[in-house]
Structures are given as structure tokens and as C-alpha cells.
Amino acid sequence: LSDDNFATIIQAVVNGRNVYRNIKNAILFLLSGNMAAILAVLYTSLAGLPVPFAPVHLLFINLLTDSLPAIALGVEPHSKAVMEQRPRPMSESILTKPYLLSIATEGVSIGVMTMAAFLIGYTSQNAALASTMAFGTLCMSRLVHGFNCKDDKPVIFTKRFFNNKYLIGAFVLGMILITSVLMIPGLHGMFKVVTLSLKQLMTVYGLALLNEIFEREIETENGIEKRNGKTDQGADRIYGIIDRLSVEI
């Protein structure tokens, strides 16, 4: 309206949709990750197993593996692909049924991998090792999960995997910190963990990466449309006409 240019209105819509998408992606990341931790604690309580996380573990998770990737997802680079989505109703809640299903699916997936690590450590040695492996797996799974929250489609092996330097930085920093906590003896007393062997560390990493594949397989199998809904071909044609008009104007 200020510059009497129709293309400005289109760009404003693109920016608004991207901001809304980034907010939803960050919320998805936080809620699904927290759900995983709750399910892990609930499972051990019902099964009569030792508590999987010490208070300092939860503090570490909330300050680092929660905050950094969530902030990075909030500044995900904008994409014109958002214009391929149908307009959402003004009355639509941010917590739609497909969105909540995504949160549940991804939360259960991370929780399953976390408890798998806990049970591996508990059956092979003791509760201290089980807690350490569960803590490491939950942290690593959430760091990897940040990339899963970038888009509805897998971004691994695509250019979009590297387009957010802040998310890459959050992942690298988080991985360095959690590996240091697990492997440096001087930090073990502070963070209530025990030293992992190379095999146990690789198990933690492997379960975190397997979680990414597991999430995608479940969502593909059940046809879950995450976050943004299905593409509307009619809307595609309209936006194509708008783009052409903006060029002519």
C-alpha cells in the first residue's frame, strides 16, 4: 500500500507464511522432544525401573538441546514454496489434528529410542550406565530431530540440509557438548554420568540417527501431512496468475 506495488503485497504474504511456518516448526520441535522425555519417565515409573534422568540432565536438555535448535528453527531461511500451500482459514488453530499427530508420532519415536538405550545399558551393566545412555540418546536424538522439523519432506541429501547455518551450528555445538559430558571424566560427577565405551557411544549415536529414519517411515506409512496441510492445485493456479500480474505491473 505504501509504494503502490502489487508485488509488495505478494512478498508480504510470502514473509508472513514463512514466519508462521518457522514458529510452528519450533513449537513442533519443543513439544515432541518434551513429550519423549515425559514418556520415558512414565515408562520407567510404570515398569518399576530406576529413574532415567537426573535433574541436571533435564537442566542440560532444556538449556542446550532444547533452546539452541529451537531458536535456529525460528530463523530458518524463507522459501517461496510456502505459496504452494492452500490458504488456511482465519479461525484455524495452530494445533490442528495433523499437527498434533505429528507431535505424538515424533515424540513417541524419540521416546522409544531413548528407552531402547536405557534398557541396553540397564541389562548390560547397571542403572548408572542406563541413565547415561538414555541421557545421551535423548540429547542426540533431539539435535538430529531439529533437521526433521525443517520441512515436511526429508532434507537429508538435499541443499536445504545446509541452508540454515544457525541450525548446523546448534547441532555441532550440541554434539560437542554432549560428547564431552559423556567422555570427559572430569565432568562426570557434575552431570551424574559414567564413562561410555566406544561401542556404547556409537550405540547412542546410532539410535539417534535411527530415530530420524523411524519418524519418516511412520509418517509415510500413515500418510501424515505435517504442519501445513495439503497443496491445493486451484491455489497453485491463482498464485501463478498473481505472479504473472506482478511482473506485468
Side-chain angles (χ1 to χ4, degrees), residues 5-246:
N5 189 338
F6 193 68
T8 303
I9 298 176
I10 297 175
Q11 188 57 46
V13 174
V14 172
N15 290 340
R17 286 192 169 199
N18 275 286
V19 170
Y20 184 74
R21 178 204 63 184
N22 290 351
I23 291 173
K24 291 194 74 173
N25 290 349
I27 293 174
L28 173 71
F29 172 80
L30 291 170
L31 292 184
S32 56
N34 288 330
M35 180 180 178
I38 292 171
L39 290 175
V41 174
L42 181 62
Y43 172 79
T44 55
S45 298
L46 295 176
L49 297 171
V51 177
F53 308 116
V56 70
H57 295 167
L58 300 178
L59 182 63
F60 183 95
I61 292 169
N62 288 331
L63 291 179
L64 296 173
T65 57
D66 260 5
S67 303
L68 297 180
I71 294 172
L73 286 169
V75 293
E76 178 76 12
H78 289 190
S79 169
K80 291 185 178 180
V82 294
M83 296 300 282
E84 297 174 1
Q85 300 154 13
R86 68 175 64 181
R88 63 182 180 84
M90 292 184 63
S91 60
E92 180 183 271
S93 169
I94 192 172
L95 298 176
T96 61
K97 185 177 179 180
Y99 187 71
L100 291 173
L101 187 57
S102 259
I103 292 173
T105 300
E106 296 173 16
V108 169
S109 176
I110 298 173
V112 167
M113 296 305 164
T114 300
M115 290 319 302
F118 180 88
L119 294 174
I120 290 172
Y122 190 64
T123 54
S124 63
Q125 195 167 329
N126 54 34
L129 177 62
S131 177
T132 301
M133 292 186 68
F135 168 57
T137 301
L138 180 59
C139 288
M140 284 303 305
S141 293
R142 299 195 67 172
L143 291 174
V144 173
H145 181 53
F147 293 100
N148 188 39
C149 291
K150 283 170 64 74
D151 198 2
D152 296 347
K153 300 176 182 178
V155 297
I156 296 179
F157 307 122
T158 67
K159 292 182 180 180
R160 286 206 63 194
F161 185 82
F162 300 100
N163 73 337
N164 188 339
K165 63 182 180 180
Y166 300 105
L167 187 59
I168 295 288
F171 175 80
V172 172
L173 178 60
M175 185 174 180
I176 292 173
L177 290 174
I178 185 58
T179 303
S180 299
V181 168
L182 296 177
M183 300 306 292
I184 298 177
L187 298 176
H188 290 175
M190 180 186 303
F191 289 98
K192 309 298 181 184
V193 296
V194 296
T195 303
L196 299 182
S197 66
L198 181 59
K199 180 180 179 181
Q200 291 164 345
L201 184 63
M202 291 300 103
T203 299
V204 168
Y205 288 164
L207 288 171
L209 293 174
L210 183 61
N211 170 69
E212 172 76 10
I213 301 172
F214 190 52
E215 284 182 16
R216 288 298 179 183
E217 286 297 323
I218 293 176
E219 288 168 354
T220 301
E221 182 70 22
N222 291 285
I224 297 175
E225 293 287 343
K226 297 199 308 180
R227 299 187 278 283
N228 298 317
K230 298 180 180 179
T231 300
D232 186 353
Q233 293 181 352
D236 290 345
R237 290 193 292 270
I238 292 172
Y239 293 131
I241 294 171
I242 290 175
D243 287 338
R244 288 194 295 272
L245 285 173
S246 64

